[in-house]
Every structure is written in structure tokens, then in C-alpha cells.
Amino acid sequence: MTDQPERPAGLRAELLETALDAARRAGDFLRDGRPADLGVAATKSSAVDVVTEMDIASEKLITGLLAERRPHDGVLGEEGASVEGTSGVQWVIDPLDGTVNYLYGLPSWAVSIAVRVDGETVVGVVHAPVRGETFRAVLGEGAFLNDRPVRVRPAPEPELALVGTGFGYLAERRAKQADVLRELIPHVRDIRRGGSAAIDLCDVAVGRLDAYYERGLNAWDYAAGDLIAREAGALTGGLPGEPLSTDLTIAAPPGLFEALQTRLEALGAWHD
């Protein structure tokens, strides 16, 4: 006999507890240990796509904790952590989402941790320590800000929507994104650019943004925030009929989601 029928609920509770602990430890480390002379340790896709030594140290802190508690799980981390694992569980980690904000001392940065079981995201945690906020969700159990349940705003008419977005790091893509934005902005209330995809998705979940879209995100950017937004009542996706991906990420309440996706399609938002 096995306890397999009870395993999912118990496993998810364990994964949530571990994700919360890891995110809070990394967030405290980043907040309290930020050097006064913090500088760029490396660049990735371009000179403005930066990594600091704190990104790398935060990922090591998280993966070290996971190695102790969940040694058979897989890991996918932004700063290079990659472990296949044998348990069917995969941790998708952005150890510092909003690195440029962090570099400049702006408060909108977060630690983002999602957990996939057999390929499905079942736990999401986004911890923004300077804002004093921890967003979390377990599949099918709703979304929470700290200990308060949260829901998206009811969908406004598109012209009354406050829409968040972000920009890539390659000059050619940024130019195209600016063209799309110039065409979109007359048709919405206004645009916000926060600098952290994980926080932007959570801000949709709690009603601080009506919608959010961005091109060029990776799984570690959106995995946790996607689940939190969906559990708060948002629809999420990418190209028409497809899930969110690096090609396009959209989150909005039903009604506004479809309108924004249609508008972005007409503007060619996913073509460089």
C-alpha cells in the first residue's frame, strides 16, 4: 500500500512551505546585504542586460537550501542553475527579478520561485521584501498577498485600462516594442513600466494593474506570477490559442484579455 492518493495535497503544502522559506531567506539576504558600491558582475544578451554578484549569490542560497531539503528535484534558474532531477518536481527560480531596479536602489524587485510537478505549475511565490509583500498561490486554492486573499479587478473597457509592460534588452526589439506602445497608448487609460515581470503579474492579481503584456520573457520571469495571476481570476496566455511564452505574455481579466490580445495581434506585437 502507498499514500499516493494523498500525495498531491501533502506535497503541495510541503513545496509551498519550502518555496516561501527560500524566497524569504533570499529576499532578506538581498535587502540586508546589498553593497553600497554594488556594480555589474556580467552582462547577458546586451550591455544593458546585467547580472550583479547578488543575483548569483541569491541563486546559490536558494539552490543550496533545495539541495538539502529536496535533493531529487530538478532546478531551472536564471543564473545558470540546471538540474534534471528524478522526482518529477522542478523548481523554476528567478533569484532577483528586477535586477536593474535593484542596481539603482529602486524598490520594485523580487525573488520569484515556481514549482512544477510533472510539468504543471502547482506553486508560485513572489517575495518583494522592500515592499513588504509576499504573493503566493497553490493551484486550485486561490491567490494571496501576505495572508489576504486577492482578486483581479473587474475588466474595464479597454480605453479605461491601466496596462503594464516591459522592454527587452536588444536594441532592435526595444525599437519594435516602442512602435507597438506608441500605437497602443491612445487606446488605453495609460501605460506603466515597473521593471519586474513577476511583480507586474502579481499587480494584475491584486488589481493595481488592469492588464500586463510583454515580449521576450523566460520561464523564470513569469512562472510564479502566472500562477498567482490565474488563481486571482486572470486569464493568461500568449499568441492566440497558445500559452504564455517568450513570444508573448499577457495577463488580464476575462473580456479585457481578449481585447488586448486582439489589439496586440493587429499591431504585430510579437514580430521583431
Side-chain angles (χ1 to χ4, degrees):
M1 295 290 291
T2 71
D3 61 350
Q4 191 64 26
E6 299 177 1
R7 180 175 179 268
L11 176 63
R12 290 179 187 182
E14 177 189 345
L15 297 174
L16 175 63
E17 180 182 0
T18 301
L20 285 167
D21 191 16
R24 286 168 176 159
R25 290 190 189 198
D28 289 350
F29 165 76
L30 290 165
R31 181 194 60 210
D32 299 338
R34 183 183 182 279
D37 59 347
L38 179 67
V40 174
T43 60
K44 292 186 281 189
S45 62
S46 76
V48 295
D49 186 3
V50 301
V51 181
T52 71
E53 64 265 31
M54 299 299 282
D55 295 71
I56 298 166
S58 176
E59 184 163 288
K60 288 181 178 178
L61 186 158
I62 296 168
T63 56
L65 184 148
L66 295 177
E68 292 178 4
R69 296 192 187 177
R70 305 278 314 176
H72 303 296
D73 293 353
V75 175
L76 175 64
E78 180 176 13
E79 305 312 332
S82 180
V83 177
E84 285 296 324
T86 58
S87 65
V89 174
Q90 182 191 48
W91 296 78
V92 184
I93 301 164
D94 192 334
L96 175 49
D97 188 58
T99 297
V100 174
N101 285 346
Y102 183 79
L103 180 65
Y104 278 79
L106 295 169
S108 287
W109 56 268
V111 179
S112 175
I113 301 177
V115 193
R116 294 171 173 169
V117 177
D118 298 327
E120 181 177 36
T121 303
V122 300
V123 169
V125 171
V126 174
H127 178 51
V130 179
R131 292 174 32 155
E133 296 181 335
T134 303
F135 305 87
R136 60 181 170 89
V138 174
L139 184 65
E141 298 182 15
F144 296 82
L145 167 52
N146 297 331
D147 293 321
R148 175 174 60 88
V150 294
R151 295 290 295 176
V152 296
R153 282 178 175 268
E157 293 299 317
E159 60 269 21
L160 298 178
L162 182 63
V163 179
T165 192
F167 306 108
Y169 294 108
L170 298 175
E172 296 82 359
R173 175 169 291 179
R174 291 160 73 91
K176 172 61 178 177
Q177 289 170 324
D179 290 341
V180 170
L181 187 62
R182 184 175 61 250
E183 296 296 324
L184 178 65
I185 198 167
H187 302 285
V188 299
R189 182 190 295 274
D190 209 344
I191 298 290
R192 293 291 181 268
R193 195 276 199 261
S196 164
I199 290 177
D200 286 340
L201 286 162
C202 291
D203 280 347
V204 172
V206 301
R208 294 171 181 158
L209 292 172
D210 293 304
Y212 166 73
Y213 79 93
E214 188 164 349
R215 174 164 165 73
L217 299 180
N218 293 294
W220 47 76
D221 297 309
Y222 61 70
D226 168 45
L227 179 64
I228 293 164
R230 287 190 284 114
E231 286 295 316
L235 296 179
T236 67
L239 308 184
E242 296 184 15
L244 71 179
S245 71
T246 190
D247 290 323
L248 187 66
T249 295
I250 305 174
L256 180 57
F257 175 89
E258 295 86 351
L260 180 58
Q261 187 181 58
T262 298
R263 175 71 66 177
L264 292 171
E265 181 178 19
L267 295 175
W270 47 83
H271 300 300
D272 290 330

